[in-house]
Structures are given as structure tokens and as C-alpha cells.
Amino acid sequence: MAAADLNSLCKLVEGQLLRMEGNTFQDCMDRLGLEQYPGDYQPVRAAGPKDDTKNDGYCPRARVFFAVHATRGERIDKTKAKIRSDLEGCLQEHRDVKVWRFLTNETLPGEVDLFIDNELRPLYRGVTVEVWGLKRLADEISKLKREQIDRIIDIITMASQSLMSRFSNT
């Protein structure tokens, strides 16, 4: 794929991710997990008194746990508290966490990044703590095949539209 095409695709994916909120964003991230970890990713939803056990989805074999949060317009202190609570809660509830990944459709402010790097990572050296914001998510999704991208962001990309129009004209 040409660089210009990949850049356009990334912009399309970013635009779609930016529009998502709440369960729509979480459903999209579940579809990403299912594509990236076929046969391993398990979506998780809140239920009962234990809520979601600070786990929005995970890979039982790979031991990767996900926290999904649409942070648009949220105060910095609230975002930091959410990240800390989700990370610490996940580590309390689950064994052998290798990677904890916070997924958001926002580019987090530098203050939040410093908080993660200077406060959280040193406390939990045995766990890889990652943040996938808007740009990283769009980049990861755009690397996939068009059919996968369509399933994840739940739209039909230009290539798929072209293919569909060929079938409808026959």
C-alpha cells in the first residue's frame, strides 16, 4: 500500500475512533482484540457485585489485560485516577499479568504520560504497562487487512465499497 493510501486510511480510522463513546468504543476495542489475538482474546463486561474485575478484555494464554476508556474532555486528575484504579484493580484481581494495556480514543496530555512513566511503571516493574491512544490505535488497526479493518471500525472502506459495487453490477 502506498504511503499516501496508508496515511488516508489512518485518518479515516482516527475519525471513526474519535466519534466513539462508551460501549461503542469498548465494542470496537473488543473487535480489535479478536483480530489481533485470534483464539485467545476474551471480551469482559461488568456483571454482579464485582463489576468487571478491572478487566475490559484479556488474553488468557498471552496474559495481556485491557482497560478501555474513552477519555475525551476528561480532567487530567480524573484520567490519572482511572488509570491507577484500573491497573491496581487488575493486578489485585488477576494472576500473572504480563501486559496491561490502557486503550483510549484520545491523545493523553503529557502530565498523564509522566504519571504513568514516573509513578506507575516503577511500582509495577514486572508488568509491561502500555497506553494506546488515538494515533497508536489508528496505526495498529491500519496495519491489518481491509476486511479486518472493516470489522473493527464497523464501516466499509473504499476498497470494500469498490468490491461491493463490482458484485452489485453483475
Side-chain angles (χ1 to χ4, degrees), residues 132-150:
W132 286 18
L134 178 64
K135 300 285 186 191
R136 175 76 185 265
L137 284 171
D139 184 55
E140 293 293 330
I141 292 169
S142 297
K143 290 177 188 174
L144 299 170
K145 294 177 184 169
R146 288 291 172 105
E147 307 81 49
Q148 293 173 296
I149 295 168
D150 291 345

Side-chain angles (χ1 to χ4, degrees), residues 15-32:
Q16 287 299 109
L17 292 173
L18 274 171
R19 287 189 263 295
M20 294 178 187
E21 295 184 20
N23 288 337
T24 303
F25 182 62
Q26 186 161 348
D27 289 345
C28 178
M29 294 300 95
D30 283 337
R31 292 188 298 270
L32 174 60

Side-chain angles (χ1 to χ4, degrees), residues 10 66 90 98 111 118 135 141 157-158 166:
C10 273
F66 299 87
C90 180
K98 289 187 170 55
E111 185 178 331
N118 294 335
K135 300 285 186 191
I141 292 169
T157 59
M158 302 298 188
R166 278 191 277 161

Side-chain angles (χ1 to χ4, degrees), residues 120-128:
L120 296 181
R121 287 188 180 118
L123 284 174
Y124 305 105
R125 293 189 187 279
V127 177
T128 300

